[in-house]
Amino acid sequence: MNKIFKDGFLWGGAVAAHQLEGGYQEGGKGLSIADLMTLGDKDHPRELTDTIEKGKYYPNHKAIDFYHHYPEDIALMAEMGFKAFRTSIAWTRIFPNGDETRPNEEGLKFYDNLFDECLKYGIEPVVTLSHFEMPYHLVTEYGGWSNRKLIDLFARFATVCFERYHDKVKYWMTFNEINNQTNYDSDGSVYENSGIKFKDSDDREQMMYQAAHYELVASAQAVQIGHAIDPSLQIGCMLAVCPIYPLTSKPEDILFANRAMDTRLYFGDVHINGEYPNWLTAYFKNKNYNLDITDNDLTILKNGTVDYVAFSYYMSFAVQYPGHMNYRESTDLVKNPYVEASDWGWQIDPVGLRYAMNWMTTRWHKPLFIVENGLGAYDKMTKEHEIHDDYRIEYMRNHIEQMKKAVDEDGVDLMGYLPWGCIDLVSASTGEMKKRYGFIYVDEDDYGNGSMQRYRKDSFYWYKKVIASNGEDL
Ligand code: P53
């Protein structure tokens, strides 16, 4: 038995409400931003429509119908030996419009049942409060997170969740991949994080920093609320970690790569240190950004620092100095000649995981929790209902090996490993079903056709063995 990973290491998997539940109008659920995103693909971004338009397909409406299948699905995860299962609470099941004063009991009940189902098998639920699915009403009536009022509405939602579930859920995260919106030129990323739809005249970068500030304050407030309700709760932040390398050893490339990484991960600095880093304060000043950041906000940030750092890891990036220090993700990334990429162009880099874990440990001195990792790939089911996904096994094996080195040789404090989309689900970036991550195959195509039957992939049996041996048998 491997002794590298500590006792109680949280092996399991991760999903998000809007990408698997379906039942988008059941149990009193309100319309979320994810319910208004059409199907796209790797060359065509998902459309963000204002209403549900006839003739367009919205994959999150049905997703994999986890809303009705969850007992069967959790049983399969238990069969793999899961110790933990990460999901999110759909804000719209609890507050359908987001600004009601009283929560929707039917929505609360659904998550009671789901968490009980996990606990029945000794599976620890790990819960994200906000994972790309705020109520759409908050977009139309408030302008999403460009509005300070969202801080209080989020606090109300967080309070209800902590009060209701604190006996069942110990591990929490506030905002999923809060730093994805660093790429403010991507309509989808800012919409998913902040519920903002830009007009042509908008200063996208400034608006992103303002929205992120309100979210960081809301997060810090939620940490304080959660700890007041139950001091034993572990509340983390959640970052999309894509380390950024300099393409060459040219000093300007190194300097710029550092700045790019600081830009993507300053969110972590605020979550963990409770204050903005100097370079960013200087940057706001030099850009003449007049952000609404009050003294009271700064106090809240200081008093609401997180207990651990949860992160996703899929890929690394590379940059070359573009002649200025203002990192712009939509234009500044270059291809790294040393790594391969997935069919969706995500650069596969297991060593980058070890690099990132070292970077974060040195910088933040907090326990780390890998709450997403995996390979989105096309799977084929044979006539015998088998799925030979050796490419996925190889991807994970290589990443777990680097994880071991980080813990064993570098002394990283790692809480667990929860690979993404442990059951096939709707892709966040493209809306496709065929970009699959699961150990469990769901017989459903991009348009929701199929038997919806679940099947064990080869990786299912492999991962079961990995968990049983605590990471020894890869
Ligand atoms: P999909 C971009 C870069 C890294 C992670 O992504 C990202 C994204 C946005 O898609 O998202 C996370 O489904 C996210 C999940 C998402 C998963 O990675 O686009 O937290 O919701 O499904 C994989 O292949």
Coordinates of all heavy atoms in Angstrom, one line a residue, residues 232-301:
S232 N -15.9 24.1 11.9 CA -15.2 22.9 11.3 C -15.2 22.9 9.8 O -14.6 22.1 9.2 CB -15.8 21.6 11.9 OG -17.0 21.4 11.3
L233 N -16.0 23.8 9.2 CA -16.1 23.8 7.7 C -14.7 24.2 7.1 O -14.0 25.1 7.6 CB -17.2 24.7 7.2 CG -18.6 24.4 7.6 CD1 -19.5 25.4 6.9 CD2 -19.0 23.0 7.3
Q234 N -14.4 23.5 6.0 CA -13.2 23.9 5.2 C -13.7 24.6 3.9 O -14.3 23.9 3.1 CB -12.4 22.6 4.8 CG -11.8 21.9 6.0 CD -10.6 22.6 6.6 OE1 -9.7 22.9 5.9 NE2 -10.7 23.0 7.8
I235 N -13.3 25.8 3.8 CA -13.8 26.6 2.7 C -12.7 27.1 1.8 O -11.8 27.8 2.3 CB -14.7 27.8 3.1 CG1 -15.8 27.3 4.1 CG2 -15.3 28.5 1.9 CD1 -16.5 28.4 4.8
G236 N -12.7 26.7 0.6 CA -11.5 27.0 -0.3 C -11.9 27.9 -1.4 O -13.1 28.2 -1.7
C237 N -10.9 28.4 -2.1 CA -11.1 29.1 -3.4 C -11.0 28.0 -4.5 O -10.6 26.9 -4.2 CB -10.1 30.2 -3.6 SG -8.4 29.7 -3.6
M238 N -11.2 28.4 -5.7 CA -11.1 27.4 -6.8 C -10.5 28.2 -8.1 O -11.1 29.1 -8.5 CB -12.4 26.8 -7.1 CG -12.3 25.5 -7.9 SD -11.5 25.6 -9.5 CE -12.0 24.1 -10.3
L239 N -9.4 27.7 -8.5 CA -8.6 28.4 -9.6 C -8.4 27.5 -10.8 O -8.1 26.3 -10.5 CB -7.3 28.9 -9.1 CG -7.3 29.8 -7.9 CD1 -5.9 29.9 -7.2 CD2 -7.9 31.2 -8.2
A240 N -8.5 28.0 -12.0 CA -8.1 27.2 -13.2 C -6.6 27.5 -13.3 O -6.2 28.6 -13.7 CB -8.8 27.7 -14.4
V241 N -5.8 26.5 -13.0 CA -4.4 26.6 -13.0 C -3.8 26.1 -14.4 O -3.8 24.9 -14.6 CB -3.7 26.0 -11.8 CG1 -2.2 26.0 -11.9 CG2 -4.2 26.7 -10.5
C242 N -3.3 27.1 -15.2 CA -2.6 26.8 -16.4 C -1.3 27.5 -16.3 O -1.3 28.7 -16.6 CB -3.4 27.3 -17.6 SG -5.1 26.9 -17.7
P243 N -0.2 26.8 -15.9 CA 1.0 27.5 -15.7 C 1.5 28.1 -17.1 O 1.2 27.5 -18.1 CB 2.0 26.4 -15.2 CG 1.3 25.1 -15.4 CD -0.2 25.4 -15.5
I244 N 2.1 29.2 -17.0 CA 2.5 29.9 -18.3 C 4.0 30.0 -18.3 O 4.7 30.6 -17.5 CB 1.9 31.4 -18.3 CG1 0.4 31.3 -18.1 CG2 2.3 32.0 -19.6 CD1 -0.4 32.6 -18.1
Y245 N 4.6 29.3 -19.3 CA 6.0 29.3 -19.5 C 6.5 30.4 -20.5 O 5.8 30.7 -21.4 CB 6.5 27.9 -20.1 CG 6.0 26.7 -19.4 CD1 5.5 25.6 -20.1 CD2 6.2 26.6 -18.0 CE1 5.1 24.5 -19.4 CE2 5.8 25.4 -17.4 CZ 5.3 24.3 -18.1 OH 4.9 23.2 -17.4
P246 N 7.8 30.8 -20.3 CA 8.4 31.6 -21.4 C 8.8 30.7 -22.5 O 9.3 29.6 -22.3 CB 9.6 32.2 -20.7 CG 9.9 31.3 -19.6 CD 8.6 30.6 -19.2
L247 N 8.6 31.2 -23.7 CA 9.0 30.3 -24.9 C 10.5 30.2 -25.0 O 11.0 29.1 -25.4 CB 8.4 30.9 -26.2 CG 8.6 30.0 -27.4 CD1 7.8 28.7 -27.2 CD2 8.2 30.7 -28.7
T248 N 11.2 31.2 -24.6 CA 12.7 31.2 -24.6 C 13.3 31.7 -23.3 O 12.6 32.2 -22.5 CB 13.3 32.0 -25.8 OG1 13.2 33.4 -25.4 CG2 12.5 31.8 -27.1
S249 N 14.6 31.7 -23.2 CA 15.3 32.3 -22.0 C 15.6 33.7 -22.2 O 16.3 34.3 -21.4 CB 16.5 31.5 -21.7 OG 17.4 31.4 -22.8
K250 N 15.1 34.4 -23.2 CA 15.3 35.8 -23.4 C 14.7 36.5 -22.1 O 13.5 36.2 -21.7 CB 14.5 36.2 -24.6 CG 14.7 37.7 -25.0 CD 13.9 37.9 -26.3 CE 13.7 39.4 -26.6 NZ 12.7 39.7 -27.5
P251 N 15.4 37.4 -21.5 CA 15.0 38.0 -20.2 C 13.6 38.5 -20.3 O 12.7 38.3 -19.4 CB 16.0 39.0 -19.9 CG 17.3 38.5 -20.5 CD 16.8 37.8 -21.8
E252 N 13.2 39.2 -21.4 CA 11.9 39.8 -21.5 C 10.8 38.7 -21.6 O 9.7 38.9 -21.1 CB 11.8 40.7 -22.8 CG 12.5 42.0 -22.6 CD 14.0 41.9 -22.9 OE1 14.5 40.8 -23.1 OE2 14.6 43.0 -22.9
D253 N 11.2 37.6 -22.2 CA 10.2 36.5 -22.2 C 9.9 36.0 -20.8 O 8.8 35.6 -20.4 CB 10.7 35.3 -23.1 CG 10.5 35.6 -24.6 OD1 10.0 36.7 -24.9 OD2 11.0 34.8 -25.4
I254 N 11.0 35.9 -20.0 CA 10.8 35.4 -18.6 C 10.0 36.4 -17.8 O 9.0 36.0 -17.1 CB 12.2 35.3 -17.9 CG1 13.2 34.5 -18.8 CG2 12.1 34.7 -16.5 CD1 13.2 33.0 -18.6
L255 N 10.3 37.6 -17.9 CA 9.6 38.7 -17.2 C 8.1 38.7 -17.6 O 7.2 38.7 -16.7 CB 10.2 40.0 -17.5 CG 9.7 41.2 -16.7 CD1 10.2 41.1 -15.3 CD2 10.3 42.5 -17.3
F256 N 7.9 38.6 -18.8 CA 6.5 38.6 -19.3 C 5.7 37.3 -18.9 O 4.5 37.4 -18.5 CB 6.4 38.8 -20.8 CG 5.0 39.0 -21.3 CD1 4.3 40.1 -21.1 CD2 4.4 38.0 -22.1 CE1 3.0 40.3 -21.5 CE2 3.1 38.1 -22.5 CZ 2.4 39.3 -22.2
A257 N 6.4 36.2 -18.9 CA 5.7 35.0 -18.5 C 5.3 35.1 -17.0 O 4.2 34.6 -16.6 CB 6.6 33.7 -18.7
N258 N 6.2 35.7 -16.2 CA 5.9 35.9 -14.8 C 4.7 36.8 -14.6 O 3.8 36.5 -13.8 CB 7.1 36.5 -14.1 CG 8.1 35.5 -13.6 OD1 7.8 34.3 -13.5 ND2 9.3 36.0 -13.4
R259 N 4.7 37.8 -15.4 CA 3.5 38.7 -15.3 C 2.2 38.1 -15.8 O 1.2 38.3 -15.2 CB 3.8 40.0 -16.1 CG 2.6 41.0 -16.3 CD 2.0 41.4 -15.0 NE 2.9 42.0 -14.1 CZ 3.3 43.3 -14.1 NH1 2.8 44.1 -15.0 NH2 4.2 43.8 -13.3
A260 N 2.3 37.3 -16.8 CA 1.2 36.6 -17.3 C 0.6 35.7 -16.2 O -0.6 35.6 -16.0 CB 1.5 35.8 -18.6
M261 N 1.5 34.9 -15.6 CA 1.0 34.0 -14.5 C 0.5 34.8 -13.3 O -0.5 34.4 -12.7 CB 2.2 33.1 -14.1 CG 1.8 31.9 -13.4 SD 2.6 30.5 -14.1 CE 2.7 29.4 -12.6
D262 N 1.2 35.9 -13.0 CA 0.6 36.7 -11.9 C -0.8 37.2 -12.3 O -1.7 37.3 -11.4 CB 1.5 38.0 -11.7 CG 2.8 37.6 -10.9 OD1 2.9 36.5 -10.4 OD2 3.7 38.5 -10.9
T263 N -1.0 37.5 -13.5 CA -2.3 38.1 -14.0 C -3.4 37.0 -13.9 O -4.5 37.3 -13.4 CB -2.2 38.6 -15.4 OG1 -1.1 39.5 -15.5 CG2 -3.5 39.3 -15.9
R264 N -3.1 35.8 -14.3 CA -4.0 34.7 -14.2 C -4.3 34.3 -12.7 O -5.4 33.8 -12.4 CB -3.5 33.5 -15.0 CG -4.1 33.3 -16.3 CD -3.9 31.9 -16.8 NE -4.9 31.0 -16.4 CZ -6.1 30.8 -16.9 NH1 -6.4 31.5 -18.0 NH2 -7.0 30.0 -16.4
L265 N -3.3 34.5 -11.9 CA -3.5 33.9 -10.5 C -3.5 35.0 -9.4 O -3.5 34.6 -8.2 CB -2.4 32.9 -10.3 CG -2.6 31.6 -11.1 CD1 -1.4 30.7 -11.0 CD2 -3.8 30.9 -10.7
Y266 N -3.7 36.3 -9.7 CA -3.8 37.2 -8.6 C -5.0 37.0 -7.8 O -5.1 37.3 -6.6 CB -3.8 38.7 -9.2 CG -5.2 39.1 -9.6 CD1 -6.1 39.7 -8.6 CD2 -5.7 39.0 -10.8 CE1 -7.4 40.1 -8.9 CE2 -7.0 39.4 -11.2 CZ -7.8 39.9 -10.2 OH -9.1 40.3 -10.5
F267 N -6.0 36.4 -8.4 CA -7.3 36.0 -7.7 C -6.9 35.2 -6.5 O -7.5 35.3 -5.4 CB -8.2 35.2 -8.7 CG -8.6 35.8 -10.0 CD1 -7.7 35.9 -11.0 CD2 -9.8 36.5 -10.1 CE1 -8.1 36.4 -12.2 CE2 -10.2 37.1 -11.3 CZ -9.3 37.1 -12.4
G268 N -6.0 34.3 -6.7 CA -5.5 33.4 -5.6 C -4.8 34.3 -4.5 O -5.0 34.1 -3.3
D269 N -4.0 35.3 -4.9 CA -3.4 36.1 -4.0 C -4.4 36.8 -3.1 O -4.2 36.9 -1.8 CB -2.5 37.2 -4.7 CG -1.4 36.6 -5.4 OD1 -0.8 35.6 -5.0 OD2 -1.0 37.2 -6.5
V270 N -5.5 37.3 -3.7 CA -6.5 38.0 -2.9 C -7.3 37.0 -2.0 O -7.5 37.3 -0.8 CB -7.5 38.7 -3.8 CG1 -8.6 39.5 -3.0 CG2 -6.8 39.7 -4.7
H271 N -7.6 35.9 -2.5 CA -8.3 34.8 -1.7 C -7.4 34.4 -0.5 O -8.0 34.1 0.5 CB -8.5 33.6 -2.6 CG -9.7 33.6 -3.4 ND1 -11.0 33.8 -2.9 CD2 -9.9 33.3 -4.7 CE1 -11.9 33.6 -3.9 NE2 -11.3 33.4 -5.0
I272 N -6.1 34.3 -0.8 CA -5.3 33.6 0.2 C -4.6 34.6 1.2 O -4.5 34.4 2.4 CB -4.3 32.7 -0.5 CG1 -5.1 31.6 -1.2 CG2 -3.2 32.1 0.5 CD1 -4.5 31.1 -2.5
N273 N -4.1 35.7 0.6 CA -3.4 36.7 1.4 C -4.4 37.8 1.9 O -4.0 38.5 2.8 CB -2.3 37.4 0.6 CG -1.3 36.4 0.0 OD1 -1.0 35.4 0.6 ND2 -0.7 36.8 -1.1
G274 N -5.5 37.8 1.3 CA -6.5 38.8 1.7 C -6.2 40.2 1.3 O -6.7 41.2 1.8
E275 N -5.3 40.4 0.3 CA -5.1 41.7 -0.3 C -4.6 41.6 -1.7 O -4.1 40.6 -2.2 CB -4.0 42.4 0.6 CG -2.7 41.7 0.7 CD -1.8 42.3 1.7 OE1 -2.3 42.9 2.8 OE2 -0.6 42.3 1.5
Y276 N -4.7 42.7 -2.4 CA -4.2 42.8 -3.8 C -2.7 42.9 -3.8 O -2.1 43.5 -3.0 CB -4.8 44.0 -4.5 CG -6.2 43.8 -5.0 CD1 -7.3 44.1 -4.1 CD2 -6.5 43.4 -6.3 CE1 -8.6 43.9 -4.6 CE2 -7.8 43.2 -6.7 CZ -8.8 43.5 -5.9 OH -10.1 43.3 -6.3
P277 N -2.0 42.2 -4.8 CA -0.6 42.3 -4.9 C -0.2 43.7 -5.4 O -1.0 44.4 -6.1 CB -0.2 41.2 -5.9 CG -1.5 41.0 -6.7 CD -2.6 41.3 -5.8
N278 N 1.0 44.1 -5.0 CA 1.5 45.5 -5.4 C 1.4 45.8 -6.9 O 1.0 46.8 -7.3 CB 2.9 45.7 -5.0 CG 3.0 45.8 -3.4 OD1 2.0 45.9 -2.8 ND2 4.2 45.9 -2.9
W279 N 1.9 44.8 -7.7 CA 1.9 45.1 -9.1 C 0.6 45.4 -9.7 O 0.4 46.2 -10.6 CB 2.6 43.9 -9.9 CG 1.6 42.7 -10.0 CD1 1.5 41.6 -9.2 CD2 0.6 42.5 -11.0 NE1 0.5 40.8 -9.6 CE2 0.0 41.3 -10.8 CE3 0.3 43.2 -12.2 CZ2 -1.0 40.8 -11.6 CZ3 -0.8 42.7 -13.0 CH2 -1.4 41.5 -12.7
L280 N -0.5 44.8 -9.1 CA -1.8 45.0 -9.7 C -2.4 46.4 -9.3 O -3.0 47.0 -10.1 CB -2.7 43.8 -9.3 CG -4.1 43.8 -9.9 CD1 -4.0 43.8 -11.5 CD2 -4.9 42.6 -9.5
T281 N -2.1 46.7 -8.0 CA -2.5 48.1 -7.6 C -1.8 49.1 -8.5 O -2.5 50.1 -8.9 CB -2.1 48.3 -6.1 OG1 -2.6 47.2 -5.4 CG2 -2.7 49.5 -5.6
A282 N -0.6 48.9 -8.8 CA 0.2 49.8 -9.7 C -0.4 49.8 -11.1 O -0.6 50.8 -11.8 CB 1.6 49.4 -9.7
Y283 N -0.8 48.6 -11.5 CA -1.4 48.5 -12.9 C -2.7 49.2 -13.0 O -2.9 50.0 -13.9 CB -1.6 47.0 -13.1 CG -2.1 46.6 -14.5 CD1 -1.3 46.8 -15.6 CD2 -3.4 46.2 -14.7 CE1 -1.8 46.5 -16.9 CE2 -3.9 45.9 -15.9 CZ -3.1 46.0 -17.0 OH -3.6 45.8 -18.3
F284 N -3.6 49.1 -11.9 CA -4.8 49.8 -11.9 C -4.6 51.3 -12.0 O -5.3 52.0 -12.8 CB -5.6 49.5 -10.7 CG -6.2 48.1 -10.6 CD1 -6.6 47.6 -9.3 CD2 -6.4 47.3 -11.7 CE1 -7.1 46.3 -9.2 CE2 -6.9 46.0 -11.6 CZ -7.3 45.5 -10.4
K285 N -3.6 51.8 -11.3 CA -3.3 53.2 -11.3 C -2.8 53.7 -12.6 O -3.3 54.7 -13.2 CB -2.2 53.5 -10.2 CG -1.9 54.9 -10.0 CD -0.7 55.1 -9.1 CE 0.5 54.8 -9.9 NZ 1.8 54.7 -9.3
N286 N -1.9 52.9 -13.2 CA -1.3 53.3 -14.5 C -2.4 53.2 -15.7 O -2.3 53.9 -16.7 CB -0.1 52.4 -14.9 CG 1.0 52.8 -14.0 OD1 1.2 53.9 -13.5 ND2 1.9 51.8 -13.6
K287 N -3.4 52.3 -15.5 CA -4.4 52.2 -16.5 C -5.5 53.3 -16.2 O -6.5 53.3 -17.0 CB -5.0 50.8 -16.5 CG -4.2 49.7 -17.0 CD -4.1 49.7 -18.5 CE -5.0 48.7 -19.1 NZ -4.9 48.5 -20.5
N288 N -5.4 54.0 -15.2 CA -6.5 55.0 -14.8 C -7.8 54.3 -14.5 O -8.8 54.8 -14.8 CB -6.7 56.1 -15.8 CG -5.6 57.1 -15.7 OD1 -5.1 57.5 -14.7 ND2 -5.1 57.5 -16.9
Y289 N -7.7 53.1 -14.0 CA -8.9 52.4 -13.6 C -9.4 52.9 -12.3 O -8.7 52.9 -11.3 CB -8.7 50.8 -13.5 CG -8.6 50.1 -14.8 CD1 -8.1 48.8 -14.9 CD2 -8.9 50.8 -16.0 CE1 -8.0 48.2 -16.1 CE2 -8.8 50.1 -17.2 CZ -8.3 48.8 -17.3 OH -8.2 48.2 -18.5
N290 N -10.6 53.3 -12.3 CA -11.2 53.9 -11.1 C -12.2 52.8 -10.6 O -13.4 52.9 -10.8 CB -11.9 55.2 -11.4 CG -12.2 56.0 -10.1 OD1 -11.7 55.5 -9.0 ND2 -12.9 57.0 -10.2
L291 N -11.7 51.8 -9.9 CA -12.6 50.7 -9.5 C -13.3 51.0 -8.2 O -12.7 51.7 -7.3 CB -11.7 49.4 -9.4 CG -11.0 49.0 -10.6 CD1 -10.2 47.7 -10.4 CD2 -12.0 48.7 -11.8
D292 N -14.4 50.5 -8.0 CA -15.2 50.6 -6.8 C -14.7 49.6 -5.8 O -15.2 48.4 -5.7 CB -16.7 50.4 -7.1 CG -17.5 50.3 -5.8 OD1 -17.1 50.9 -4.8 OD2 -18.6 49.6 -5.9
I293 N -13.6 50.0 -5.0 CA -13.0 49.1 -4.0 C -13.0 49.9 -2.7 O -12.2 50.8 -2.6 CB -11.6 48.7 -4.4 CG1 -11.6 47.9 -5.7 CG2 -11.0 47.8 -3.3 CD1 -10.2 47.4 -6.2
T294 N -13.9 49.6 -1.8 CA -14.0 50.4 -0.6 C -13.1 49.9 0.5 O -12.6 48.8 0.5 CB -15.4 50.4 0.0 OG1 -15.7 49.1 0.4 CG2 -16.4 50.8 -1.1
D295 N -12.9 50.7 1.5 CA -12.1 50.3 2.7 C -12.7 49.1 3.4 O -12.0 48.2 3.8 CB -11.9 51.5 3.7 CG -10.9 52.5 3.2 OD1 -10.2 52.2 2.2 OD2 -10.9 53.6 3.7
N296 N -14.0 49.2 3.4 CA -14.8 48.0 4.1 C -14.5 46.7 3.3 O -14.3 45.7 3.9 CB -16.3 48.4 4.2 CG -17.0 47.3 5.0 OD1 -16.5 46.9 6.0 ND2 -18.1 46.9 4.5
D297 N -14.5 46.9 1.9 CA -14.2 45.7 1.1 C -12.8 45.1 1.5 O -12.7 43.9 1.6 CB -14.1 46.0 -0.4 CG -15.4 46.4 -1.0 OD1 -16.5 46.2 -0.3 OD2 -15.4 46.9 -2.1
L298 N -11.9 46.0 1.7 CA -10.5 45.5 2.0 C -10.5 44.8 3.3 O -9.7 43.8 3.5 CB -9.5 46.7 1.9 CG -9.4 47.4 0.5 CD1 -8.4 48.6 0.6 CD2 -9.0 46.4 -0.5
T299 N -11.3 45.3 4.3 CA -11.3 44.6 5.6 C -12.0 43.2 5.4 O -11.5 42.3 6.0 CB -12.2 45.5 6.6 OG1 -11.7 46.8 6.5 CG2 -12.1 44.9 8.0
I300 N -13.0 43.2 4.6 CA -13.7 41.9 4.4 C -12.7 40.9 3.7 O -12.6 39.7 4.2 CB -15.0 42.0 3.5 CG1 -16.0 42.8 4.3 CG2 -15.5 40.7 3.1 CD1 -17.2 43.2 3.4
L301 N -11.9 41.4 2.8 CA -11.0 40.5 2.1 C -10.0 39.9 3.1 O -9.6 38.8 3.1 CB -10.2 41.2 1.0 CG -11.1 41.6 -0.2 CD1 -10.2 42.4 -1.2 CD2 -11.7 40.4 -0.9

